[in-house]
Amino acid sequence: MEKTRVIKILQILSELYGHLGCALKFRTPFELLVATMLSAQTTDVTVNKATDILFKKYNKPQDFVNIPQSELEKYIRTCGFYKNKAKNIIAASRMIVEEYNGKVPDSLEELTKLPGVGRKTANVVLSNAFGKDAIAVDTHVFRVSNRIGLAKSEDVLKTEEQLMENIPKNMWSSAHHLLIWHGRNICTARNPKCLECPINELCDYYIKNKKS
Ligand code: SF4
């Protein structure tokens, strides 16, 4: 897609939604890492409710190394897949303590070595906790960017690569938030509200369906 069209799309979305930040509540890179690990297959609101209580008592990697898994599970039960999430959070905390001196690493390569941390989680942490340019491809970003034509792939990794190619680097992080927000509000998974969408004339999906 031409750069001018990409920038126009992001400008319109930016005017619509304003400046967006991460919807997960956190005070440190470690808290964001835990919150993002918990956010798989659930909503940010559910995660925030759980971490509001959890982080009052446990909020450093060392705390999670010493916590019995069953104790952690009590705090995160509402987030779904809680046994697996608890296991990964404890294992990732141990690795942070043992290999990174208790500090969350700030590179994609190191973050994705942590148990239970994939590229999406790593990119969320890099972008929101460390202020680095990164595009995390979650379900909304994947769907919306492929509908618009910012990416053309059925593969998440390829979508991330194409987005990095098509979107200017200094807009990666804001594009991530804008696409999520657009996916939640207008470009919903079922029945996207194309007629009221302010970027419809720039969107491949709309243009194609309007013609057919
Ligand atoms: S026009 Fe429709 S498919 Fe395209 S971004 Fe807007 S809501 Fe999504």
Side-chain angles (χ1 to χ4, degrees):
M1 185 184 278
E2 327 82 79
K3 282 275 182 288
T4 48
R5 188 166 148 209
V6 173
I7 288 169
K8 183 87 189 145
I9 288 167
L10 294 175
Q11 267 172 354
I12 294 171
L13 293 180
S14 180
E15 279 160 23
L16 181 65
Y17 298 118
H19 180 73
L20 299 169
C22 182
L24 292 168
K25 289 197 217 159
F26 67 98
R27 292 165 301 182
T28 62
F30 180 72
E31 286 190 357
L32 180 59
L33 176 67
V34 172
T36 312
M37 289 172 84
L38 289 174
S39 72
Q41 311 288 328
T42 190
T43 66
D44 292 344
V45 174
T46 301
V47 173
N48 287 338
K49 276 189 195 153
T51 56
D52 268 349
I53 301 167
L54 174 70
F55 290 158
K56 280 198 180 89
K57 196 161 176 201
Y58 305 101
N59 54 39
K60 293 181 205 61
Q62 190 64 53
D63 299 335
F64 287 84
V65 170
N66 297 322
I67 194 174
Q69 186 174 321
S70 56
E71 165 77 355
L72 177 54
E73 287 174 3
K74 281 191 222 156
Y75 288 85
I76 64 169
R77 198 173 288 263
T78 50
C79 298
F81 304 100
Y82 62 95
K83 283 186 185 295
N84 212 29
K85 288 179 181 177
K87 193 173 89 188
N88 282 331
I89 289 168
I90 290 170
S93 300
R94 182 164 295 119
M95 196 164 174
I96 290 169
V97 168
E98 290 174 359
E99 297 189 25
Y100 299 103
N101 209 17
K103 290 212 167 76
V104 176
D106 64 354
S107 74
L108 183 66
E109 197 193 352
E110 289 170 313
L111 279 165
T112 50
K113 281 186 191 153
L114 299 173
V117 177
R119 292 181 71 89
K120 191 207 87 172
T121 297
N123 279 327
V124 167
V125 172
L126 287 174
S127 162
N128 295 290
F130 293 116
K132 298 200 172 190
D133 297 314
I135 300 185
V137 179
D138 72 351
T139 175
H140 295 298
V141 175
F142 180 75
R143 180 184 71 255
V144 177
S145 59
N146 275 290
R147 276 183 183 159
I148 296 172
L150 291 168
K152 282 182 185 155
S153 176
E154 291 177 5
D155 177 271
V156 174
L157 179 57
K158 287 211 179 87
T159 295
E160 184 188 321
E161 287 166 358
Q162 290 173 6
L163 288 176
M164 289 195 293
E165 210 171 287
N166 284 330
I167 297 172
K169 193 172 181 192
N170 65 345
M171 298 174 93
W172 287 356
S173 295
S174 58
H176 159 80
H177 291 302
L178 291 170
L179 293 171
I180 290 182
W181 213 247
H182 199 51
R184 284 185 181 149
N185 289 283
I186 294 180
C187 194
T188 44
R190 286 190 206 147
N191 306 320
K193 303 178 188 83
C194 297
L195 290 175
E196 64 183 73
C197 177
I199 55 168
N200 55 13
E201 295 296 343
L202 299 162
C203 170
D204 282 356
Y205 178 93
Y206 180 75
I207 294 164
K208 190 171 151 219
N209 286 300
K210 195 171 68 164
K211 280 185 188 151
S212 61

PDB file of all heavy atoms in Angstrom, residues 144-163:
ATOM      1  N   VAL A 144      -8.138  -6.165  11.523  1.00  0.00           N
ATOM      2  CA  VAL A 144      -8.371  -4.831  10.955  1.00  0.00           C
ATOM      3  C   VAL A 144      -7.329  -4.489   9.885  1.00  0.00           C
ATOM      4  O   VAL A 144      -7.668  -3.998   8.812  1.00  0.00           O
ATOM      5  CB  VAL A 144      -8.363  -3.761  12.085  1.00  0.00           C
ATOM      6  CG1 VAL A 144      -8.535  -2.364  11.518  1.00  0.00           C
ATOM      7  CG2 VAL A 144      -9.468  -4.061  13.100  1.00  0.00           C
ATOM      8  N   SER A 145      -6.064  -4.796  10.170  1.00  0.00           N
ATOM      9  CA  SER A 145      -5.028  -4.421   9.197  1.00  0.00           C
ATOM     10  C   SER A 145      -5.177  -5.223   7.906  1.00  0.00           C
ATOM     11  O   SER A 145      -4.945  -4.698   6.823  1.00  0.00           O
ATOM     12  CB  SER A 145      -3.629  -4.592   9.790  1.00  0.00           C
ATOM     13  OG  SER A 145      -3.414  -5.919  10.187  1.00  0.00           O
ATOM     14  N   ASN A 146      -5.611  -6.472   8.025  1.00  0.00           N
ATOM     15  CA  ASN A 146      -5.797  -7.263   6.806  1.00  0.00           C
ATOM     16  C   ASN A 146      -7.052  -6.848   6.041  1.00  0.00           C
ATOM     17  O   ASN A 146      -7.095  -6.961   4.824  1.00  0.00           O
ATOM     18  CB  ASN A 146      -5.811  -8.753   7.136  1.00  0.00           C
ATOM     19  CG  ASN A 146      -4.395  -9.310   7.201  1.00  0.00           C
ATOM     20  OD1 ASN A 146      -3.710  -9.427   6.194  1.00  0.00           O
ATOM     21  ND2 ASN A 146      -3.931  -9.604   8.411  1.00  0.00           N
ATOM     22  N   ARG A 147      -8.061  -6.377   6.745  1.00  0.00           N
ATOM     23  CA  ARG A 147      -9.246  -5.875   6.028  1.00  0.00           C
ATOM     24  C   ARG A 147      -8.908  -4.588   5.277  1.00  0.00           C
ATOM     25  O   ARG A 147      -9.223  -4.432   4.108  1.00  0.00           O
ATOM     26  CB  ARG A 147     -10.378  -5.582   7.028  1.00  0.00           C
ATOM     27  CG  ARG A 147     -11.195  -6.800   7.396  1.00  0.00           C
ATOM     28  CD  ARG A 147     -12.323  -6.379   8.325  1.00  0.00           C
ATOM     29  NE  ARG A 147     -13.104  -7.509   8.765  1.00  0.00           N
ATOM     30  CZ  ARG A 147     -13.865  -7.492   9.866  1.00  0.00           C
ATOM     31  NH1 ARG A 147     -13.924  -6.408  10.606  1.00  0.00           N
ATOM     32  NH2 ARG A 147     -14.563  -8.555  10.213  1.00  0.00           N
ATOM     33  N   ILE A 148      -8.236  -3.688   5.981  1.00  0.00           N
ATOM     34  CA  ILE A 148      -7.915  -2.394   5.361  1.00  0.00           C
ATOM     35  C   ILE A 148      -6.971  -2.580   4.168  1.00  0.00           C
ATOM     36  O   ILE A 148      -7.088  -1.900   3.156  1.00  0.00           O
ATOM     37  CB  ILE A 148      -7.251  -1.445   6.391  1.00  0.00           C
ATOM     38  CG1 ILE A 148      -8.225  -1.106   7.519  1.00  0.00           C
ATOM     39  CG2 ILE A 148      -6.789  -0.154   5.725  1.00  0.00           C
ATOM     40  CD1 ILE A 148      -7.582  -0.341   8.678  1.00  0.00           C
ATOM     41  N   GLY A 149      -6.054  -3.541   4.300  1.00  0.00           N
ATOM     42  CA  GLY A 149      -5.048  -3.736   3.255  1.00  0.00           C
ATOM     43  C   GLY A 149      -3.677  -3.259   3.684  1.00  0.00           C
ATOM     44  O   GLY A 149      -2.746  -3.198   2.884  1.00  0.00           O
ATOM     45  N   LEU A 150      -3.559  -2.913   4.976  1.00  0.00           N
ATOM     46  CA  LEU A 150      -2.234  -2.545   5.497  1.00  0.00           C
ATOM     47  C   LEU A 150      -1.328  -3.764   5.509  1.00  0.00           C
ATOM     48  O   LEU A 150      -0.109  -3.672   5.520  1.00  0.00           O
ATOM     49  CB  LEU A 150      -2.357  -2.006   6.929  1.00  0.00           C
ATOM     50  CG  LEU A 150      -3.046  -0.641   7.079  1.00  0.00           C
ATOM     51  CD1 LEU A 150      -3.365  -0.373   8.535  1.00  0.00           C
ATOM     52  CD2 LEU A 150      -2.159   0.462   6.522  1.00  0.00           C
ATOM     53  N   ALA A 151      -1.941  -4.935   5.571  1.00  0.00           N
ATOM     54  CA  ALA A 151      -1.214  -6.205   5.452  1.00  0.00           C
ATOM     55  C   ALA A 151      -2.091  -7.133   4.620  1.00  0.00           C
ATOM     56  O   ALA A 151      -3.302  -6.921   4.511  1.00  0.00           O
ATOM     57  CB  ALA A 151      -0.957  -6.798   6.823  1.00  0.00           C
ATOM     58  N   LYS A 152      -1.438  -8.139   4.048  1.00  0.00           N
ATOM     59  CA  LYS A 152      -2.212  -9.131   3.288  1.00  0.00           C
ATOM     60  C   LYS A 152      -1.649 -10.490   3.591  1.00  0.00           C
ATOM     61  O   LYS A 152      -0.778 -10.998   2.883  1.00  0.00           O
ATOM     62  CB  LYS A 152      -2.128  -8.834   1.791  1.00  0.00           C
ATOM     63  CG  LYS A 152      -3.040  -7.710   1.390  1.00  0.00           C
ATOM     64  CD  LYS A 152      -3.025  -7.410  -0.088  1.00  0.00           C
ATOM     65  CE  LYS A 152      -3.891  -6.185  -0.316  1.00  0.00           C
ATOM     66  NZ  LYS A 152      -3.593  -5.421  -1.473  1.00  0.00           N
ATOM     67  N   SER A 153      -2.082 -11.074   4.681  1.00  0.00           N
ATOM     68  CA  SER A 153      -1.540 -12.381   5.043  1.00  0.00           C
ATOM     69  C   SER A 153      -2.459 -13.076   6.038  1.00  0.00           C
ATOM     70  O   SER A 153      -3.169 -12.424   6.813  1.00  0.00           O
ATOM     71  CB  SER A 153      -0.157 -12.207   5.671  1.00  0.00           C
ATOM     72  OG  SER A 153       0.314 -13.451   6.096  1.00  0.00           O
ATOM     73  N   GLU A 154      -2.442 -14.390   5.980  1.00  0.00           N
ATOM     74  CA  GLU A 154      -3.214 -15.147   6.964  1.00  0.00           C
ATOM     75  C   GLU A 154      -2.331 -15.543   8.134  1.00  0.00           C
ATOM     76  O   GLU A 154      -2.756 -16.273   9.018  1.00  0.00           O
ATOM     77  CB  GLU A 154      -3.817 -16.389   6.300  1.00  0.00           C
ATOM     78  CG  GLU A 154      -4.898 -15.999   5.319  1.00  0.00           C
ATOM     79  CD  GLU A 154      -5.490 -17.156   4.572  1.00  0.00           C
ATOM     80  OE1 GLU A 154      -5.129 -18.301   4.881  1.00  0.00           O
ATOM     81  OE2 GLU A 154      -6.302 -16.899   3.682  1.00  0.00           O
ATOM     82  N   ASP A 155      -1.121 -15.055   8.128  1.00  0.00           N
ATOM     83  CA  ASP A 155      -0.135 -15.443   9.123  1.00  0.00           C
ATOM     84  C   ASP A 155       0.208 -14.226  10.001  1.00  0.00           C
ATOM     85  O   ASP A 155       0.437 -13.124   9.490  1.00  0.00           O
ATOM     86  CB  ASP A 155       1.100 -15.929   8.345  1.00  0.00           C
ATOM     87  CG  ASP A 155       2.236 -16.292   9.252  1.00  0.00           C
ATOM     88  OD1 ASP A 155       3.049 -15.406   9.571  1.00  0.00           O
ATOM     89  OD2 ASP A 155       2.302 -17.467   9.635  1.00  0.00           O
ATOM     90  N   VAL A 156       0.214 -14.435  11.313  1.00  0.00           N
ATOM     91  CA  VAL A 156       0.425 -13.314  12.237  1.00  0.00           C
ATOM     92  C   VAL A 156       1.822 -12.701  12.078  1.00  0.00           C
ATOM     93  O   VAL A 156       1.976 -11.481  12.051  1.00  0.00           O
ATOM     94  CB  VAL A 156       0.207 -13.786  13.699  1.00  0.00           C
ATOM     95  CG1 VAL A 156       0.557 -12.671  14.683  1.00  0.00           C
ATOM     96  CG2 VAL A 156      -1.238 -14.196  13.904  1.00  0.00           C
ATOM     97  N   LEU A 157       2.831 -13.558  11.965  1.00  0.00           N
ATOM     98  CA  LEU A 157       4.200 -13.048  11.852  1.00  0.00           C
ATOM     99  C   LEU A 157       4.377 -12.252  10.562  1.00  0.00           C
ATOM    100  O   LEU A 157       4.967 -11.167  10.552  1.00  0.00           O
ATOM    101  CB  LEU A 157       5.198 -14.206  11.921  1.00  0.00           C
ATOM    102  CG  LEU A 157       6.665 -13.825  11.803  1.00  0.00           C
ATOM    103  CD1 LEU A 157       7.079 -12.817  12.872  1.00  0.00           C
ATOM    104  CD2 LEU A 157       7.554 -15.054  11.903  1.00  0.00           C
ATOM    105  N   LYS A 158       3.831 -12.787   9.468  1.00  0.00           N
ATOM    106  CA  LYS A 158       3.946 -12.064   8.189  1.00  0.00           C
ATOM    107  C   LYS A 158       3.185 -10.739   8.266  1.00  0.00           C
ATOM    108  O   LYS A 158       3.612  -9.733   7.713  1.00  0.00           O
ATOM    109  CB  LYS A 158       3.403 -12.920   7.056  1.00  0.00           C
ATOM    110  CG  LYS A 158       4.316 -14.063   6.689  1.00  0.00           C
ATOM    111  CD  LYS A 158       4.192 -14.399   5.192  1.00  0.00           C
ATOM    112  CE  LYS A 158       5.134 -15.524   4.833  1.00  0.00           C
ATOM    113  NZ  LYS A 158       4.569 -16.855   5.026  1.00  0.00           N
ATOM    114  N   THR A 159       2.045 -10.759   8.950  1.00  0.00           N
ATOM    115  CA  THR A 159       1.278  -9.515   9.119  1.00  0.00           C
ATOM    116  C   THR A 159       2.127  -8.489   9.853  1.00  0.00           C
ATOM    117  O   THR A 159       2.196  -7.320   9.457  1.00  0.00           O
ATOM    118  CB  THR A 159      -0.033  -9.801   9.891  1.00  0.00           C
ATOM    119  OG1 THR A 159      -0.857 -10.647   9.090  1.00  0.00           O
ATOM    120  CG2 THR A 159      -0.797  -8.521  10.216  1.00  0.00           C
ATOM    121  N   GLU A 160       2.789  -8.930  10.918  1.00  0.00           N
ATOM    122  CA  GLU A 160       3.660  -8.007  11.673  1.00  0.00           C
ATOM    123  C   GLU A 160       4.758  -7.450  10.750  1.00  0.00           C
ATOM    124  O   GLU A 160       5.026  -6.244  10.740  1.00  0.00           O
ATOM    125  CB  GLU A 160       4.282  -8.753  12.865  1.00  0.00           C
ATOM    126  CG  GLU A 160       5.120  -7.850  13.751  1.00  0.00           C
ATOM    127  CD  GLU A 160       5.889  -8.633  14.830  1.00  0.00           C
ATOM    128  OE1 GLU A 160       5.334  -9.583  15.394  1.00  0.00           O
ATOM    129  OE2 GLU A 160       7.054  -8.287  15.076  1.00  0.00           O
ATOM    130  N   GLU A 161       5.370  -8.320   9.970  1.00  0.00           N
ATOM    131  CA  GLU A 161       6.452  -7.873   9.076  1.00  0.00           C
ATOM    132  C   GLU A 161       5.934  -6.877   8.037  1.00  0.00           C
ATOM    133  O   GLU A 161       6.567  -5.859   7.761  1.00  0.00           O
ATOM    134  CB  GLU A 161       7.073  -9.085   8.359  1.00  0.00           C
ATOM    135  CG  GLU A 161       7.924  -9.930   9.288  1.00  0.00           C
ATOM    136  CD  GLU A 161       8.267 -11.309   8.694  1.00  0.00           C
ATOM    137  OE1 GLU A 161       7.809 -11.632   7.568  1.00  0.00           O
ATOM    138  OE2 GLU A 161       8.964 -12.055   9.377  1.00  0.00           O
ATOM    139  N   GLN A 162       4.743  -7.168   7.485  1.00  0.00           N
ATOM    140  CA  GLN A 162       4.197  -6.271   6.465  1.00  0.00           C
ATOM    141  C   GLN A 162       3.805  -4.921   7.061  1.00  0.00           C
ATOM    142  O   GLN A 162       3.981  -3.878   6.442  1.00  0.00           O
ATOM    143  CB  GLN A 162       2.989  -6.934   5.788  1.00  0.00           C
ATOM    144  CG  GLN A 162       3.387  -8.113   4.922  1.00  0.00           C
ATOM    145  CD  GLN A 162       2.191  -8.883   4.379  1.00  0.00           C
ATOM    146  OE1 GLN A 162       1.041  -8.487   4.546  1.00  0.00           O
ATOM    147  NE2 GLN A 162       2.460 -10.015   3.752  1.00  0.00           N
ATOM    148  N   LEU A 163       3.279  -4.966   8.286  1.00  0.00           N
ATOM    149  CA  LEU A 163       2.925  -3.699   8.951  1.00  0.00           C
ATOM    150  C   LEU A 163       4.178  -2.870   9.199  1.00  0.00           C
ATOM    151  O   LEU A 163       4.177  -1.655   9.006  1.00  0.00           O
ATOM    152  CB  LEU A 163       2.193  -3.975  10.272  1.00  0.00           C
ATOM    153  CG  LEU A 163       0.762  -4.498  10.137  1.00  0.00           C
ATOM    154  CD1 LEU A 163       0.173  -4.837  11.500  1.00  0.00           C
ATOM    155  CD2 LEU A 163      -0.133  -3.500   9.418  1.00  0.00           C
TER     156      LEU A 163
END
